[in-house]
Amino acid sequence: MIRSLAVALSLALALPAGAETPASTLFGAASTSTHGAAQAIGFYSRGCATGLVPLPETGPTWQAMRLSRNRNWGQPEMVAFLQQLSVAATKMGWQGLYIGDIAQPRGGPAPSGHASHQTGLDADIWLRMPDTLRLSPAAREDLPFVSVLRDRRTVNAYWTPRHRALVQSAAMDPRVDRIFLNAAIKMEMCRTATPADAAWLQKIRPAAGHDEHMHVRLRCPAGSRTCAPQTPSVAELSQGGSGCDASLASWLEDRPAPAPSAPARTHPREYALSDLPAQCSAVLRAR
């Protein structure tokens, strides 16, 4: 077991009765994956993983970004998907892709950022088109995102047919369950859609933010018996259509500010280990 994780676990065991170290602290301390078969355990926003593999920091058609986070680990299916999509992107006019967070080495809640990305089946792909795939590690920490929104309802000139082609290619992959993008981006894609696009366009789900990256979520891999799929399905959400309907338009309406959330464990960063599937305790202790 790595030293930082062993220290985190020992501190957790030394806490007073009734007190629990946040699971994000424990999983954030793990710097390596477990040995053995890859398994997605639990749900995308309440789980962990075994056997995750790293996306290499640099490849011929991609670069992993924000390396200091150590979140370039994914299920083998996810790493293969990202590599293959980056190759496809070069045929659409992209130099390659900047890949954001996937998961921590053992998945689990992260100490900052995401609610999901806990099983190695979520990945962020930047919408910034690379000028170079030779960024230094330092440059990857500081390179800013680029939004494709002009305002909260419309896209700007940075959004191009090459962006649409990339999103479509990702959505048409049978491994992909859904893709989260800003509602204004989906509305723009709906503007030029045809009935033949419904099957993949329904996978594009509106989400707050997500105007400088797309969040790709894969289906539970075959053999991951403890992986919890997301329900309802995109087909059920869209009632078999494309999702270019009143439910999408409602995302672009003015909304009142959300009510304050309840104080107790409302975000995965606050989860204790006991809030996760029971197998996640063993994942932390595994070699």
Side-chain angles (χ1 to χ4, degrees):
M1 182 180 297
I2 60 171
R3 186 174 185 276
S4 58
L5 181 53
V7 170
L9 286 170
S10 64
L11 290 174
L13 293 173
L15 287 172
E20 295 186 82
T21 298
S24 58
T25 299
L26 300 174
F27 280 96
S31 62
T32 60
S33 180
T34 65
H35 298 299
Q39 290 283 321
I41 300 169
F43 189 63
Y44 303 93
S45 58
R46 192 188 290 261
C48 58
T50 61
L52 296 186
V53 296
L55 175 73
E57 294 177 1
T58 297
T61 52
W62 75 85
Q63 282 201 291
M65 307 299 285
R66 309 299 196 246
L67 299 177
S68 64
R69 298 181 179 184
N70 196 25
R71 297 181 189 173
N72 59 314
W73 298 76
Q75 294 288 332
E77 291 85 352
M78 173 57 84
V79 171
F81 166 81
L82 293 170
Q83 292 173 329
Q84 292 160 9
L85 182 65
S86 71
V87 172
T90 64
K91 301 174 183 177
M92 305 168 194
W94 296 67
Q95 278 200 43
L97 297 176
Y98 289 151
I99 307 299
D101 288 357
I102 310 173
Q104 299 175 133
R106 302 183 187 206
S112 64
H114 315 285
S116 58
H117 291 257
Q118 295 190 35
T119 61
L121 294 171
D122 293 283
D124 290 342
I125 300 172
W126 287 26
L127 297 178
R128 177 173 184 149
M129 301 187 74
D131 296 318
T132 177
L133 295 176
R134 297 182 179 180
L135 293 173
S136 68
R140 297 185 221 189
E141 296 296 323
D142 300 328
L143 190 71
F145 298 107
V146 174
S147 173
V148 299
L149 294 190
R150 182 177 67 186
D151 53 48
R152 63 182 299 267
R153 293 182 175 86
T154 57
V155 298
N156 59 28
Y158 194 77
W159 175 262
T160 68
R162 290 176 290 181
H163 288 81
R164 188 184 194 280
L166 179 70
V167 174
Q168 179 176 345
S169 179
M172 291 180 70
D173 192 300
R175 292 169 290 190
V176 171
D177 181 77
R178 64 196 70 198
I179 297 173
F180 299 103
L181 275 171
N182 188 278
I185 299 174
K186 173 151 186 178
M187 185 64 77
E188 176 63 20
M189 299 181 77
C190 291
R191 191 178 62 81
T192 56
T194 69
D197 295 321
W200 65 265
L201 195 54
Q202 66 181 212
K203 291 186 181 181
I204 312 303
R205 307 309 308 171
H210 295 77
D211 55 294
E212 17 64 5
H213 73 276
M214 64 172 170
H215 174 169
V216 177
R217 175 166 291 174
L218 300 190
R219 304 179 189 277
C220 287
S224 276
R225 295 182 299 276
T226 56
C227 179
Q230 185 164 357
T231 56
S233 69
V234 294
E236 291 168 335
L237 287 169
S238 300
Q239 298 182 344
S242 63
C244 300
D245 51 25
S247 65
L248 174 61
S250 69
W251 277 83
L252 303 178
E253 296 172 354
D254 293 325
R255 296 183 177 189
S261 57
R265 296 185 188 173
T266 57
H267 192 282
R269 283 194 297 274
E270 309 299 324
Y271 288 168
L273 195 54
S274 59
D275 293 316
L276 302 180
Q279 300 96 318
C280 292
S281 294
V283 169
L284 284 172
R285 290 173 168 78
R287 294 189 181 274

Short mmCIF file of all heavy atoms in Angstrom, two decimals, residues 224-276:
data_model
loop_
_atom_site.label_atom_id
_atom_site.label_comp_id
_atom_site.label_asym_id
_atom_site.label_seq_id
_atom_site.Cartn_x
_atom_site.Cartn_y
_atom_site.Cartn_z
N SER A 224 -18.66 -6.00 -15.36
CA SER A 224 -18.67 -5.20 -14.13
C SER A 224 -20.02 -5.38 -13.45
O SER A 224 -20.93 -4.56 -13.58
CB SER A 224 -18.40 -3.72 -14.43
OG SER A 224 -17.03 -3.45 -14.51
N ARG A 225 -20.14 -6.49 -12.73
CA ARG A 225 -21.44 -6.84 -12.16
C ARG A 225 -21.87 -5.90 -11.05
O ARG A 225 -23.05 -5.84 -10.71
CB ARG A 225 -21.39 -8.28 -11.62
CG ARG A 225 -21.18 -9.33 -12.70
CD ARG A 225 -21.19 -10.74 -12.13
NE ARG A 225 -20.12 -10.93 -11.17
CZ ARG A 225 -18.88 -11.26 -11.50
NH1 ARG A 225 -18.55 -11.40 -12.76
NH2 ARG A 225 -17.96 -11.42 -10.56
N THR A 226 -20.93 -5.18 -10.45
CA THR A 226 -21.27 -4.26 -9.37
C THR A 226 -21.45 -2.83 -9.86
O THR A 226 -21.63 -1.92 -9.05
CB THR A 226 -20.19 -4.30 -8.28
OG1 THR A 226 -18.91 -4.00 -8.88
CG2 THR A 226 -20.12 -5.67 -7.62
N CYS A 227 -21.39 -2.61 -11.17
CA CYS A 227 -21.58 -1.28 -11.74
C CYS A 227 -23.07 -0.97 -11.82
O CYS A 227 -23.87 -1.80 -12.28
CB CYS A 227 -20.95 -1.23 -13.13
SG CYS A 227 -21.14 0.35 -14.00
N ALA A 228 -23.46 0.21 -11.35
CA ALA A 228 -24.87 0.61 -11.35
C ALA A 228 -25.15 1.51 -12.55
O ALA A 228 -24.61 2.62 -12.62
CB ALA A 228 -25.21 1.33 -10.06
N PRO A 229 -25.97 1.09 -13.50
CA PRO A 229 -26.27 1.92 -14.67
C PRO A 229 -27.13 3.12 -14.29
O PRO A 229 -27.80 3.12 -13.25
CB PRO A 229 -27.02 0.98 -15.60
CG PRO A 229 -27.64 -0.04 -14.69
CD PRO A 229 -26.67 -0.21 -13.55
N GLN A 230 -27.11 4.13 -15.16
CA GLN A 230 -27.92 5.32 -14.91
C GLN A 230 -29.31 5.12 -15.48
O GLN A 230 -29.48 4.64 -16.60
CB GLN A 230 -27.27 6.55 -15.54
CG GLN A 230 -28.02 7.84 -15.20
CD GLN A 230 -27.21 9.09 -15.47
OE1 GLN A 230 -26.04 9.01 -15.86
NE2 GLN A 230 -27.81 10.24 -15.26
N THR A 231 -30.29 5.47 -14.68
CA THR A 231 -31.69 5.42 -15.12
C THR A 231 -32.36 6.75 -14.79
O THR A 231 -31.96 7.43 -13.83
CB THR A 231 -32.45 4.28 -14.40
OG1 THR A 231 -32.33 4.46 -12.98
CG2 THR A 231 -31.88 2.93 -14.78
N PRO A 232 -33.36 7.15 -15.55
CA PRO A 232 -33.85 6.51 -16.76
C PRO A 232 -32.86 6.62 -17.91
O PRO A 232 -31.95 7.45 -17.87
CB PRO A 232 -35.16 7.25 -17.06
CG PRO A 232 -34.99 8.59 -16.43
CD PRO A 232 -34.14 8.39 -15.23
N SER A 233 -33.05 5.80 -18.93
CA SER A 233 -32.18 5.83 -20.09
C SER A 233 -32.43 7.10 -20.90
O SER A 233 -33.45 7.79 -20.72
CB SER A 233 -32.43 4.61 -20.98
OG SER A 233 -33.72 4.72 -21.59
N VAL A 234 -31.52 7.42 -21.80
CA VAL A 234 -31.71 8.62 -22.63
C VAL A 234 -32.93 8.45 -23.53
O VAL A 234 -33.63 9.44 -23.83
CB VAL A 234 -30.45 8.93 -23.46
CG1 VAL A 234 -29.30 9.32 -22.55
CG2 VAL A 234 -30.04 7.77 -24.36
N ALA A 235 -33.20 7.24 -23.98
CA ALA A 235 -34.38 7.01 -24.81
C ALA A 235 -35.66 7.27 -24.02
O ALA A 235 -36.62 7.84 -24.55
CB ALA A 235 -34.37 5.58 -25.36
N GLU A 236 -35.66 6.88 -22.74
CA GLU A 236 -36.82 7.14 -21.89
C GLU A 236 -36.96 8.64 -21.62
O GLU A 236 -38.07 9.19 -21.64
CB GLU A 236 -36.70 6.36 -20.60
CG GLU A 236 -36.84 4.85 -20.79
CD GLU A 236 -36.43 4.06 -19.56
OE1 GLU A 236 -35.62 4.56 -18.75
OE2 GLU A 236 -36.92 2.92 -19.42
N LEU A 237 -35.84 9.31 -21.35
CA LEU A 237 -35.89 10.75 -21.10
C LEU A 237 -36.41 11.51 -22.31
O LEU A 237 -37.16 12.48 -22.18
CB LEU A 237 -34.50 11.26 -20.74
CG LEU A 237 -33.97 10.90 -19.35
CD1 LEU A 237 -32.49 11.24 -19.24
CD2 LEU A 237 -34.76 11.61 -18.26
N SER A 238 -36.03 11.05 -23.50
CA SER A 238 -36.43 11.73 -24.73
C SER A 238 -37.67 11.14 -25.36
O SER A 238 -38.08 11.57 -26.44
CB SER A 238 -35.27 11.67 -25.75
OG SER A 238 -34.12 12.30 -25.25
N GLN A 239 -38.24 10.12 -24.71
CA GLN A 239 -39.42 9.43 -25.23
C GLN A 239 -39.20 8.97 -26.68
O GLN A 239 -40.08 9.08 -27.53
CB GLN A 239 -40.66 10.32 -25.11
CG GLN A 239 -40.98 10.70 -23.68
CD GLN A 239 -42.23 11.54 -23.53
OE1 GLN A 239 -42.73 12.11 -24.50
NE2 GLN A 239 -42.73 11.64 -22.31
N GLY A 240 -37.99 8.47 -26.91
CA GLY A 240 -37.66 7.94 -28.23
C GLY A 240 -37.26 8.99 -29.25
O GLY A 240 -36.84 8.64 -30.35
N GLY A 241 -37.35 10.27 -28.89
CA GLY A 241 -37.00 11.33 -29.83
C GLY A 241 -35.57 11.80 -29.64
O GLY A 241 -34.73 11.11 -29.07
N SER A 242 -35.31 13.03 -30.08
CA SER A 242 -33.97 13.59 -30.05
C SER A 242 -33.69 14.39 -28.78
O SER A 242 -32.54 14.73 -28.51
CB SER A 242 -33.75 14.48 -31.27
OG SER A 242 -34.65 15.59 -31.21
N GLY A 243 -34.73 14.72 -28.04
CA GLY A 243 -34.56 15.60 -26.88
C GLY A 243 -34.59 17.07 -27.24
O GLY A 243 -34.36 17.93 -26.39
N CYS A 244 -34.89 17.39 -28.51
CA CYS A 244 -34.98 18.78 -28.96
C CYS A 244 -36.42 19.24 -28.80
O CYS A 244 -37.16 19.44 -29.77
CB CYS A 244 -34.53 18.90 -30.42
SG CYS A 244 -32.83 18.37 -30.73
N ASP A 245 -36.85 19.40 -27.56
CA ASP A 245 -38.25 19.65 -27.29
C ASP A 245 -38.38 20.69 -26.17
O ASP A 245 -37.42 21.37 -25.81
CB ASP A 245 -38.96 18.35 -26.92
CG ASP A 245 -38.23 17.57 -25.82
OD1 ASP A 245 -37.48 18.21 -25.03
OD2 ASP A 245 -38.40 16.35 -25.74
N ALA A 246 -39.57 20.77 -25.61
CA ALA A 246 -39.82 21.78 -24.58
C ALA A 246 -38.96 21.56 -23.34
O ALA A 246 -38.61 22.52 -22.65
CB ALA A 246 -41.31 21.76 -24.20
N SER A 247 -38.61 20.31 -23.07
CA SER A 247 -37.77 20.06 -21.90
C SER A 247 -36.39 20.69 -22.06
O SER A 247 -35.79 21.15 -21.09
CB SER A 247 -37.63 18.55 -21.66
OG SER A 247 -36.93 17.93 -22.72
N LEU A 248 -35.89 20.74 -23.29
CA LEU A 248 -34.62 21.41 -23.55
C LEU A 248 -34.79 22.92 -23.48
O LEU A 248 -33.97 23.62 -22.87
CB LEU A 248 -34.09 21.02 -24.93
CG LEU A 248 -32.83 21.75 -25.40
CD1 LEU A 248 -31.66 21.49 -24.46
CD2 LEU A 248 -32.48 21.34 -26.83
N ALA A 249 -35.85 23.44 -24.07
CA ALA A 249 -36.09 24.89 -24.05
C ALA A 249 -36.20 25.41 -22.63
O ALA A 249 -35.79 26.55 -22.34
CB ALA A 249 -37.35 25.21 -24.85
N SER A 250 -36.72 24.59 -21.73
CA SER A 250 -36.90 25.04 -20.35
C SER A 250 -35.55 25.34 -19.68
O SER A 250 -35.48 26.14 -18.75
CB SER A 250 -37.67 24.00 -19.53
OG SER A 250 -36.88 22.83 -19.34
N TRP A 251 -34.48 24.71 -20.15
CA TRP A 251 -33.15 24.96 -19.59
C TRP A 251 -32.67 26.37 -19.90
O TRP A 251 -31.81 26.90 -19.19
CB TRP A 251 -32.15 23.95 -20.15
CG TRP A 251 -32.15 22.64 -19.45
CD1 TRP A 251 -33.01 21.59 -19.68
CD2 TRP A 251 -31.30 22.21 -18.41
NE1 TRP A 251 -32.72 20.55 -18.85
CE2 TRP A 251 -31.67 20.90 -18.05
CE3 TRP A 251 -30.22 22.80 -17.74
CZ2 TRP A 251 -31.02 20.17 -17.06
CZ3 TRP A 251 -29.56 22.08 -16.75
CH2 TRP A 251 -29.97 20.79 -16.40
N LEU A 252 -33.20 26.96 -20.94
CA LEU A 252 -32.74 28.29 -21.35
C LEU A 252 -33.63 29.40 -20.81
O LEU A 252 -33.41 30.58 -21.09
CB LEU A 252 -32.70 28.36 -22.89
CG LEU A 252 -31.81 27.30 -23.55
CD1 LEU A 252 -31.87 27.42 -25.06
CD2 LEU A 252 -30.37 27.42 -23.05
N GLU A 253 -34.65 29.04 -20.05
CA GLU A 253 -35.51 30.04 -19.45
C GLU A 253 -34.84 30.61 -18.20
O GLU A 253 -34.00 29.97 -17.57
CB GLU A 253 -36.86 29.41 -19.07
CG GLU A 253 -37.65 28.90 -20.27
CD GLU A 253 -38.88 28.12 -19.84
OE1 GLU A 253 -39.03 27.88 -18.62
OE2 GLU A 253 -39.66 27.72 -20.72
N ASP A 254 -35.22 31.83 -17.84
CA ASP A 254 -34.74 32.41 -16.60
C ASP A 254 -35.31 31.64 -15.42
O ASP A 254 -36.51 31.34 -15.38
CB ASP A 254 -35.15 33.89 -16.50
CG ASP A 254 -34.44 34.74 -17.56
OD1 ASP A 254 -33.27 34.43 -17.86
OD2 ASP A 254 -35.07 35.68 -18.08
N ARG A 255 -34.44 31.30 -14.48
CA ARG A 255 -34.88 30.51 -13.33
C ARG A 255 -34.50 31.21 -12.04
O ARG A 255 -33.48 31.91 -11.99
CB ARG A 255 -34.20 29.13 -13.35
CG ARG A 255 -34.57 28.27 -14.54
CD ARG A 255 -33.90 26.91 -14.43
NE ARG A 255 -34.27 26.02 -15.52
CZ ARG A 255 -33.96 24.74 -15.58
NH1 ARG A 255 -33.25 24.19 -14.60
NH2 ARG A 255 -34.33 23.99 -16.59
N PRO A 256 -35.31 31.04 -11.00
CA PRO A 256 -34.92 31.62 -9.71
C PRO A 256 -33.70 30.92 -9.15
O PRO A 256 -33.39 29.78 -9.52
CB PRO A 256 -36.16 31.37 -8.84
CG PRO A 256 -36.84 30.19 -9.47
CD PRO A 256 -36.59 30.33 -10.95
N ALA A 257 -33.01 31.60 -8.28
CA ALA A 257 -31.84 30.99 -7.65
C ALA A 257 -32.27 29.77 -6.85
O ALA A 257 -33.33 29.75 -6.23
CB ALA A 257 -31.16 32.01 -6.73
N PRO A 258 -31.47 28.69 -6.86
CA PRO A 258 -31.85 27.49 -6.13
C PRO A 258 -31.88 27.74 -4.63
O PRO A 258 -31.13 28.56 -4.09
CB PRO A 258 -30.76 26.49 -6.51
CG PRO A 258 -29.59 27.34 -6.90
CD PRO A 258 -30.18 28.57 -7.53
N ALA A 259 -32.75 27.01 -3.96
CA ALA A 259 -32.84 27.11 -2.50
C ALA A 259 -31.58 26.50 -1.89
O ALA A 259 -30.97 25.60 -2.47
CB ALA A 259 -34.08 26.37 -2.01
N PRO A 260 -31.17 26.99 -0.72
CA PRO A 260 -29.98 26.41 -0.06
C PRO A 260 -30.18 24.92 0.18
O PRO A 260 -31.27 24.46 0.52
CB PRO A 260 -29.92 27.17 1.28
CG PRO A 260 -30.67 28.44 1.02
CD PRO A 260 -31.76 28.10 0.05
N SER A 261 -29.12 24.15 -0.02
CA SER A 261 -29.21 22.71 0.16
C SER A 261 -29.07 22.34 1.63
O SER A 261 -28.58 23.12 2.44
CB SER A 261 -28.11 22.01 -0.66
OG SER A 261 -26.84 22.49 -0.26
N ALA A 262 -29.50 21.14 1.94
CA ALA A 262 -29.38 20.65 3.31
C ALA A 262 -27.90 20.50 3.66
O ALA A 262 -27.08 20.23 2.81
CB ALA A 262 -30.10 19.31 3.43
N PRO A 263 -27.55 20.66 4.92
CA PRO A 263 -26.13 20.69 5.29
C PRO A 263 -25.43 19.33 5.33
O PRO A 263 -24.22 19.27 5.28
CB PRO A 263 -26.16 21.30 6.69
CG PRO A 263 -27.51 20.96 7.22
CD PRO A 263 -28.44 20.98 6.03
N ALA A 264 -26.16 18.24 5.44
CA ALA A 264 -25.50 16.96 5.73
C ALA A 264 -25.21 16.18 4.45
O ALA A 264 -26.11 15.73 3.76
CB ALA A 264 -26.38 16.12 6.65
N ARG A 265 -23.93 16.01 4.15
CA ARG A 265 -23.46 15.13 3.09
C ARG A 265 -24.26 15.28 1.80
O ARG A 265 -24.77 14.30 1.24
CB ARG A 265 -23.50 13.66 3.54
CG ARG A 265 -22.57 13.35 4.70
CD ARG A 265 -22.57 11.88 5.03
NE ARG A 265 -21.83 11.61 6.25
CZ ARG A 265 -21.78 10.43 6.85
NH1 ARG A 265 -22.42 9.41 6.34
NH2 ARG A 265 -21.08 10.27 7.95
N THR A 266 -24.37 16.49 1.32
CA THR A 266 -25.16 16.73 0.11
C THR A 266 -24.31 16.63 -1.15
O THR A 266 -24.84 16.62 -2.23
CB THR A 266 -25.81 18.12 0.16
OG1 THR A 266 -24.78 19.11 0.34
CG2 THR A 266 -26.78 18.21 1.31
N HIS A 267 -23.01 16.58 -1.03
CA HIS A 267 -22.11 16.47 -2.18
C HIS A 267 -21.18 15.30 -1.93
O HIS A 267 -20.78 15.04 -0.79
CB HIS A 267 -21.31 17.76 -2.35
CG HIS A 267 -20.59 17.83 -3.66
ND1 HIS A 267 -19.41 17.15 -3.91
CD2 HIS A 267 -20.88 18.50 -4.82
CE1 HIS A 267 -19.00 17.39 -5.14
NE2 HIS A 267 -19.87 18.19 -5.71
N PRO A 268 -20.83 14.56 -2.99
CA PRO A 268 -19.91 13.42 -2.80
C PRO A 268 -18.61 13.77 -2.09
O PRO A 268 -17.99 12.89 -1.47
CB PRO A 268 -19.66 12.95 -4.23
CG PRO A 268 -20.94 13.25 -4.93
CD PRO A 268 -21.38 14.57 -4.36
N ARG A 269 -18.16 15.02 -2.15
CA ARG A 269 -16.96 15.39 -1.38
C ARG A 269 -17.17 15.19 0.10
O ARG A 269 -16.21 15.04 0.86
CB ARG A 269 -16.59 16.85 -1.66
CG ARG A 269 -15.89 17.08 -2.98
CD ARG A 269 -15.27 18.46 -3.02
NE ARG A 269 -16.24 19.52 -2.93
CZ ARG A 269 -16.90 20.04 -3.98
NH1 ARG A 269 -16.67 19.57 -5.19
NH2 ARG A 269 -17.77 21.00 -3.82
N GLU A 270 -18.42 15.22 0.54
CA GLU A 270 -18.74 15.07 1.95
C GLU A 270 -18.99 13.62 2.35
O GLU A 270 -19.12 13.32 3.55
CB GLU A 270 -19.99 15.90 2.29
CG GLU A 270 -19.93 17.35 1.83
CD GLU A 270 -18.79 18.10 2.47
OE1 GLU A 270 -18.50 17.82 3.66
OE2 GLU A 270 -18.18 18.95 1.79
N TYR A 271 -19.07 12.72 1.37
CA TYR A 271 -19.38 11.33 1.72
C TYR A 271 -18.31 10.74 2.62
O TYR A 271 -17.12 10.99 2.46
CB TYR A 271 -19.46 10.46 0.45
CG TYR A 271 -20.67 10.70 -0.43
CD1 TYR A 271 -20.72 10.14 -1.70
CD2 TYR A 271 -21.75 11.45 0.00
CE1 TYR A 271 -21.81 10.34 -2.53
CE2 TYR A 271 -22.85 11.65 -0.82
CZ TYR A 271 -22.87 11.09 -2.09
OH TYR A 271 -23.95 11.29 -2.90
N ALA A 272 -18.77 9.93 3.54
CA ALA A 272 -17.86 9.07 4.30
C ALA A 272 -17.73 7.75 3.57
O ALA A 272 -18.52 7.43 2.66
CB ALA A 272 -18.40 8.86 5.71
N LEU A 273 -16.76 6.96 3.97
CA LEU A 273 -16.58 5.66 3.33
C LEU A 273 -17.83 4.80 3.47
O LEU A 273 -18.17 4.01 2.58
CB LEU A 273 -15.36 4.96 3.95
CG LEU A 273 -14.78 3.76 3.21
CD1 LEU A 273 -14.45 4.10 1.76
CD2 LEU A 273 -13.56 3.25 3.93
N SER A 274 -18.54 4.97 4.56
CA SER A 274 -19.76 4.19 4.79
C SER A 274 -20.89 4.57 3.84
O SER A 274 -21.87 3.84 3.73
CB SER A 274 -20.23 4.37 6.24
OG SER A 274 -20.50 5.74 6.52
N ASP A 275 -20.77 5.70 3.13
CA ASP A 275 -21.77 6.10 2.16
C ASP A 275 -21.56 5.42 0.81
O ASP A 275 -22.44 5.50 -0.07
CB ASP A 275 -21.74 7.62 1.95
CG ASP A 275 -22.19 8.39 3.17
OD1 ASP A 275 -23.21 7.99 3.78
OD2 ASP A 275 -21.53 9.38 3.53
N LEU A 276 -20.42 4.79 0.62
CA LEU A 276 -20.09 4.16 -0.65
C LEU A 276 -20.38 2.67 -0.58
O LEU A 276 -20.61 2.11 0.51
CB LEU A 276 -18.61 4.38 -0.96
CG LEU A 276 -18.14 5.83 -1.05
CD1 LEU A 276 -16.64 5.88 -1.36
CD2 LEU A 276 -18.92 6.61 -2.09
#
